[in-house]
Amino acid sequence: MNLAAFPLFLVLLCGACWTLVYLDGIRLGLRDRTYAIPFWALALNFAWELLHSVLGYQQMGPVLQVWINAVWFLFDCGILYTYFRYGRQWFPQHLRPCWFMLWSLLGLGVAFVIQHAFIAEFGRSVGGAYGAFLQNLLMSMLFIGMLVERGGSAGQSMTIAVSKWVGTLAPTILFGVLGGEGFNGPNRFILVIGLLCSLFDLIYIAILAQTKARERRGEAVAVMF
């Protein structure tokens, strides 16, 4: 591969992998009557992709990354639908249903405030990168928590797990090793956060594979090593 084209390959790989995450998330949410992305990670993703679709278009026009962000935002709308449609079952049942809606709307509002604060403090490119990697690390840990909470693989798949890992590893190399848009060379902070994402993603892949194997054999599910 031409080294000059390698950054573009990483962008496309990231875009393709996360698109798989979102598409399978919608499919599993509808099939299993649940939601496939942990809520706080979903809220941060929803806010990030809307803000960076709009601001990216205003500043750069219809470039590749802006199109990718816009497509991701549309898929996030689908996942958010499954959350509001089926997520009440994972909310404390002793609380009135209205509190589920209020809590969810509060979460979305907080996510927009956080993402806007990153942009206001660091600028669109750098703030977007920092926000994306930190929410990605949160998502990596929340996936493990979701598997433990549900006690099984409902709403989860190896397609999501592996695509999430590769889709995060690609921009980790781009920004943490090569140096991406808005950075003067490789960024050690992003490299560290990206590697931590890989650590937790691989842990999740391992325990999800173990859980699915037990489910196929009809054994009691154990989601701990």
Side-chain angles (χ1 to χ4, degrees), residues 44-67:
L44 288 166
N45 275 10
F46 184 83
W48 190 98
E49 282 146 13
L50 178 57
L51 287 172
H52 286 275
S53 293
V54 174
L55 296 178
Y57 181 80
Q58 290 175 346
Q59 295 181 15
M60 301 184 298
V63 299
L64 176 62
Q65 188 60 57
V66 171
W67 280 108

Side-chain angles (χ1 to χ4, degrees), residues 6 36 44 52 57 68 99 114 120 171 181 185 210 219 221 225:
F6 190 53
L44 288 166
H52 286 275
Y57 181 80
I68 291 174
W99 285 108
I114 291 172
E181 178 193 354
Q210 180 189 71
E219 300 176 2
V221 174
F225 286 114

Side-chain angles (χ1 to χ4, degrees), residues 23-161:
L23 286 174
D24 209 40
I26 295 171
R27 180 186 69 86
L28 289 172
L30 295 173
R31 187 195 71 181
D32 296 346
R33 302 178 68 83
T34 185
Y35 58 97
I37 304 294
F39 171 68
W40 284 102
L42 174 60
L44 288 166
N45 275 10
F46 184 83
W48 190 98
E49 282 146 13
L50 178 57
L51 287 172
H52 286 275
S53 293
V54 174
L55 296 178
Y57 181 80
Q58 290 175 346
Q59 295 181 15
M60 301 184 298
V63 299
L64 176 62
Q65 188 60 57
V66 171
W67 280 108
I68 291 174
N69 294 343
V71 170
W72 287 346
F73 170 72
L74 292 176
F75 291 147
D76 266 343
C77 290
I79 299 173
L80 199 60
Y81 165 78
T82 63
Y83 169 78
F84 280 109
R85 179 70 177 82
Y86 304 117
R88 175 73 176 87
Q89 63 184 303
W90 304 110
F91 196 72
Q93 296 300 303
H94 66 278
L95 296 177
R96 294 168 57 187
C98 64
W99 285 108
F100 168 71
M101 182 63 68
L102 291 173
W103 178 256
S104 302
L105 294 176
L106 175 63
L108 288 170
V110 168
F112 273 97
V113 170
I114 291 172
Q115 298 296 9
H116 187 271
F118 272 106
I119 296 171
E121 181 66 25
F122 301 108
R124 185 191 58 79
S125 296
V126 175
Y130 287 162
F133 275 89
L134 287 171
Q135 73 195 46
N136 214 318
L137 178 58
L138 176 65
M139 182 186 293
S140 298
M141 294 185 286
L142 288 177
F143 266 123
I144 297 173
M146 186 168 73
L147 180 60
V148 172
E149 178 187 11
R150 294 182 179 178
S153 65
Q156 299 161 85
S157 71
M158 294 301 292
T159 297
I160 291 177

